[in-house]
Amino acid sequence: MNHRLLGRTGVSVSQMCLGAMMFGAWGNRDHDESIGIIHAALDAGITFIDTADVYAQGESEQIVGKALKGRRDDIILATKFHGAMGQDPNRQGSSRRWIIRAVEDSLRRLDTDWIDLYQVHRPRTDTDIDETLGALSDLVHQGKVRYIGGSTFPASQIVEAQWVARERGLQRFVTEQPAYSMLVRRIEDDILPTCQRHGMGVLSYSPLTGGWLSGRWRKDSGQQASSRASRLPERFDLSQPANQRKLDAVEALAQLADQTGITLIQMAIAFVLNHPAITAAIIGPRTMEQLEGQLAAADTVLEPAVLNRIDEIVAPGTTINPVDNSFENPALAPAARRRRH
């Protein structure tokens, strides 16, 4: 497993990061099986694990914590906060009040004294970035967090956070976590160049686009069912035109993989890792078989002719179904575009 530097932190991480979203009620409910998958990933050379408090309402963090007993010092551990952790409207978001509570909850579930990378899971328009960075900086000074980062931030807010950190003398975001795959390429247009300019590491998630590039979705297979598809029908329902266009692209990409002599999974992950701005691709297996199929991409190298053909199928900087970007710009909502009379 190759390693890469995490931005300008000097920290080295494996080029694949094990995403833990599918461990627990959202995916594999068997804790022992999930722990076995984590151990297999570590044995294969993965040193980077990413989870979030909201994944199965803390269950994912608990599983990761159990899996890392006796191995914590060798792992770069990342988690995220922001999502609702209960009915109380203050048990979510990016306020100082919630951050101070959320980190203690995550530390307890992960059974660790520190978090290597603590990330804001989604940007907010109702909370001053000063507030968020100030609270996160305090956690770094207290030794509870080593570094901080963001996830699905638009380029303008990435730049704003960097500027505020510099002007206020606060800790800066050293990473960004966006969605990126052969079908979801919007970030090539501005997010990735912005991260490069600011020396930020990028750990991109969903290289298989939620399973679309796993090989299951083909023209002759029809509608596929999964826990993720049931939670996010707008991304998987084939009655929607954007998803039909995705299916067309997947068919062409699968044929290209066959012609190249590799699996579609290998091609998908290798494509993500090929971009010079990407530090690590987050893989999110639910089963041991899925892990093994994704690990096979670690040594896959795509020739220029293959990359050029991928660009013909899905143009650089574009996303076939915008919902897959995982970010809806609040500035485009009707309330933000229309004057009140």
Side-chain angles (χ1 to χ4, degrees):
M1 182 70 62
N2 292 326
H3 285 68
R4 298 174 176 180
L5 289 175
L6 188 64
R8 295 177 183 162
T9 64
V11 174
S12 177
V13 297
S14 55
Q15 67 175 0
M16 285 188 184
C17 175
L18 181 64
M21 187 177 76
M22 300 306 292
F23 301 143
W26 287 13
N28 192 332
R29 295 174 179 271
D30 189 309
H31 284 210
D32 290 336
E33 281 187 16
S34 297
I35 291 169
I37 294 168
I38 295 171
H39 287 169
L42 301 185
D43 293 341
I46 287 181
T47 62
F48 198 7
I49 297 179
D50 177 75
T51 184
D53 57 4
V54 76
Y55 295 163
Q57 290 292 290
E59 187 181 5
S60 171
E61 287 186 326
Q62 292 172 343
I63 292 170
V64 170
K66 289 190 287 186
L68 292 186
K69 284 186 180 298
R71 307 181 73 159
R72 175 68 184 92
D73 288 346
D74 301 323
I75 302 303
I76 306 301
L77 178 59
T79 192
K80 300 180 287 291
F81 68 91
H82 168 273
M85 294 295 288
Q87 298 300 314
D88 185 337
N90 286 318
R91 290 178 58 83
Q92 62 176 302
S94 303
S95 69
R96 170 178 288 273
R97 186 180 192 276
W98 175 237
I99 290 170
I100 300 303
R101 169 68 184 276
V103 75
E104 297 295 344
D105 291 345
S106 286
L107 288 169
R108 184 181 66 255
R109 287 189 293 261
L110 290 165
D111 193 19
T112 184
D113 294 327
W114 82 97
I115 294 163
D116 292 290
L117 178 62
Y118 200 40
Q119 304 155 99
V120 186
H121 209 157
R122 292 290 185 269
R124 301 279 293 203
T125 58
D126 61 358
T127 308
D128 197 316
I129 191 65
D130 259 342
E131 166 101 355
T132 302
L133 290 177
L136 292 172
S137 295
D138 287 347
L139 298 183
V140 173
H141 297 152
Q142 294 166 12
K144 295 176 180 178
V145 169
R146 299 292 191 256
Y147 302 100
I148 61 174
S151 177
T152 70
F153 274 55
S156 62
Q157 287 182 262
I158 291 174
V159 174
E160 180 187 16
Q162 294 289 322
W163 182 87
V164 168
R166 184 182 64 189
E167 292 297 307
R168 304 289 193 266
L170 300 171
Q171 295 291 313
R172 73 182 190 96
F173 289 151
V174 301
T175 59
E176 168 60 18
Q177 185 179 146
Y180 184 46
S181 73
M182 294 189 293
L183 302 176
V184 183
R185 303 184 61 173
R186 173 68 181 82
I187 65 170
E188 294 172 336
D189 183 72
D190 56 358
I191 302 296
L192 293 182
T194 297
C195 290
Q196 285 180 299
R197 286 196 298 271
H198 290 280
M200 299 172 66
V202 178
L203 38 154
S204 60
Y205 66 89
S206 202
L208 303 183
T209 321
W212 277 88
L213 296 171
S214 68
R216 290 180 59 202
W217 293 79
R218 298 293 297 268
K219 283 284 191 178
D220 58 359
S221 299
Q223 182 72 53
Q224 297 293 303
S226 70
S227 60
R228 192 174 301 183
S230 63
R231 292 199 314 272
L232 304 166
E234 66 277 10
R235 300 187 188 185
F236 295 91
D237 185 353
L238 291 181
S239 68
Q240 299 192 22
N243 291 330
Q244 274 295 326
R245 292 194 296 273
K246 274 201 304 193
L247 191 61
D248 291 337
V250 168
E251 190 66 26
L253 291 167
Q255 293 174 13
L256 176 61
D258 289 340
Q259 294 164 8
T260 307
I262 58 177
T263 67
L264 182 58
I265 290 173
Q266 285 176 290
M267 189 169 78
I269 296 174
F271 168 83
V272 170
L273 291 173
N274 183 77
H275 197 291
I278 298 296
T279 306
I282 299 176
I283 60 172
R286 181 178 54 81
T287 67
M288 190 69 76
E289 181 182 12
Q290 290 175 357
L291 173 66
E292 292 168 352
Q294 293 169 34
L295 287 174
D299 299 321
T300 301
V301 177
L302 302 181
E303 297 297 328
V306 175
L307 293 168
N308 291 341
R309 176 59 183 140
I310 293 171
D311 289 347
E312 293 173 357
I313 296 169
V314 181
T318 63
T319 295
I320 296 176
N321 184 349
V323 176
D324 290 322
N325 288 321
S326 298
F327 172 73
E328 296 181 9
N329 191 340
L332 299 181
R337 294 183 288 107
R338 297 168 185 171
R339 287 185 178 272
R340 298 176 181 175
H341 297 288

